[in-house]
Amino acid sequence: MTEPRAGFAAIIGAPNAGKSTLVNALVGEKVSIVTRKVQTTRFPVRGIAMEGENQIVLVDTPGVFEPRRRLDRAMVKAAWTGADDADAIVHVIDAEARDLVAVGKGGGAEKLSVKDDDSVTEGLKAAGKTAILALNKIDTLERDRLLPLVESLTSTGVYSDVFMISSTKGYGVADLKAKLASMMPVSPHLYPADQAADIPQRLLAAEITREQIYDRLHQEMPYSTAVETESWRRLHDGSVRIEQRIFVERDSQRPIVLGKGGKTVKVIGSAARAEMEQAFGCKVHLFLQVQVQPGWDENRARYLAMGLDYDI
């Protein structure tokens, strides 16, 4: 009988490359925040994927990008720490963005994505590490456009394997999962086989609400939003009462989140509650408050709660 394998695989890459969507696809259910905005994963989320008897603990790291403030620096450090501690590394690259830049049609966002990708490649090379290249969003390109991208990236000598995938449509995901399983060391399972993620429910609930805020206010709101689960109480009927506080930095942002007559926050709460009920398998009573707290991203306790290093 073949001994089971279990280990860690770090999913790294530029913001909005599709890392969280890939982790969710590999696990088979939602364990990480996915939005239209870049840089929404603020801390490593461990998703647990099973491939036969083998277990892959997927570390969905924050995107690697050029940091400008303390929170940025902490997130980038968390990404590289996740890679340092892993048995396998997957570098997810947005093929569409890279192709647009290659043909001279890329805008600022695409150029920044390529710059961040190259930074990851150089970081891997400097650390003497090899990674699996997951060229994502291939469904948007003709195959003859993919080959030059693969050739330019593999010429760096950093990548041991190349997988062409679409994390949203599932193309290539099963093959990548099988490869990762084969790379895990022989080991007993690190988590119960039916557990999907190593993230406290209180924290997951906050992430679900934060995702809904971004999804509905992606044009009006900047990234200066945080959500904390202040109360989590199991009721006698098996349902859960959750009280959360949404933090914004400026007075002008509070009415944006609330909406006219509280309509926007009600929509956010309704969508978040539905997601939580699916994730937690029970009825959820969700109560949201919006509070102005300038400098929330300089709060040491909040960094510790997210598993980030404040002193960086």
Side-chain angles (χ1 to χ4, degrees), residues 196-214:
D198 175 21
I199 175 174
Q201 288 184 322
R202 293 171 68 105
L203 199 53
L204 179 57
E207 283 296 282
I208 288 172
T209 300
R210 191 162 65 91
E211 178 181 24
Q212 295 302 327
I213 293 170
Y214 285 144

Side-chain angles (χ1 to χ4, degrees), residues 20-297:
S20 296
T21 306
L22 176 58
V23 167
N24 291 340
L26 289 166
V27 173
E29 62 182 87
K30 185 172 183 174
V31 296
S32 193
I33 183 171
V34 180
T35 76
R36 286 172 286 185
K37 272 188 173 292
V38 298
Q39 199 48 57
T40 49
T41 300
R42 285 184 177 155
F43 55 91
V45 176
R46 289 186 176 89
I48 297 125
M50 296 298 300
E51 176 71 2
E53 291 300 313
N54 301 321
Q55 187 175 75
I56 313 158
V57 183
L58 300 153
V59 184
D60 176 15
T61 63
V64 178
F65 60 106
E66 185 175 347
R68 294 180 177 84
R69 53 179 180 163
R70 185 191 299 273
L71 181 59
D72 296 343
R73 294 194 299 273
M75 289 192 293
V76 170
K77 181 179 179 181
W80 283 114
T81 299
D84 288 340
D85 296 340
D87 299 296
I89 302 171
V90 179
H91 182 191
V92 184
I93 286 183
D94 183 339
E96 183 181 25
R98 203 165 188 93
D99 179 66
L100 286 171
V101 172
V103 298
K105 295 182 180 179
E110 288 79 19
K111 291 177 181 177
L112 186 58
S113 177
V114 171
K115 180 182 177 182
D116 290 336
D117 284 336
D118 292 343
S119 174
V120 174
T121 302
E122 290 303 314
L124 290 167
K125 186 183 294 186
K129 293 182 177 295
T130 57
I132 292 173
L133 171 62
L135 203 58
N136 194 22
K137 306 181 185 179
I138 61 163
D139 51 303
T140 64
L141 297 176
E142 297 295 331
R143 181 162 290 274
D144 63 350
R145 296 299 312 154
L146 291 169
L147 295 179
L149 299 182
V150 172
E151 289 175 357
S152 66
L153 289 163
T154 55
S155 67
T156 63
V158 168
Y159 304 107
S160 59
D161 300 89
V162 179
F163 287 83
M164 298 188 187
I165 67 169
S166 169
S167 53
T168 56
K169 296 189 176 180
Y171 303 154
V173 173
D175 291 338
L176 174 58
K177 187 177 181 180
K179 175 63 179 179
L180 289 174
S182 72
M183 296 175 70
M184 298 299 102
V186 173
S187 166
H189 290 168
L190 304 172
Y191 295 89
D194 60 352
Q195 184 173 337
D198 175 21
I199 175 174
Q201 288 184 322
R202 293 171 68 105
L203 199 53
L204 179 57
E207 283 296 282
I208 288 172
T209 300
R210 191 162 65 91
E211 178 181 24
Q212 295 302 327
I213 293 170
Y214 285 144
D215 193 45
R216 281 154 180 78
L217 301 174
H218 65 284
Q219 293 179 331
E220 298 92 335
M221 286 294 294
Y223 298 100
S224 50
T225 307
V227 179
E228 284 189 359
T229 301
E230 297 192 323
S231 173
W232 175 291
R233 187 158 56 93
R234 180 74 66 175
L235 304 181
H236 63 85
D237 61 357
S239 64
V240 175
R241 176 188 171 93
I242 301 174
E243 297 179 15
Q244 294 181 329
R245 196 174 297 270
I246 300 168
F247 294 101
V248 295
E249 287 190 325
R250 298 190 296 273
D251 290 332
S252 60
Q253 294 169 343
R254 187 170 183 271
I256 295 174
V257 178
L258 288 172
K260 187 175 181 180
K263 183 178 180 180
T264 300
V265 77
K266 287 178 182 176
V267 172
I268 290 169
S270 178
R273 182 171 59 252
E275 287 261 4
M276 291 177 199
E277 289 180 343
Q278 183 176 1
F280 306 143
C282 65
K283 184 174 178 60
V284 172
H285 310 277
L286 179 62
F287 300 87
L288 301 177
Q289 290 187 333
V290 184
Q291 179 180 328
V292 179
Q293 187 179 91
W296 65 262
D297 58 347

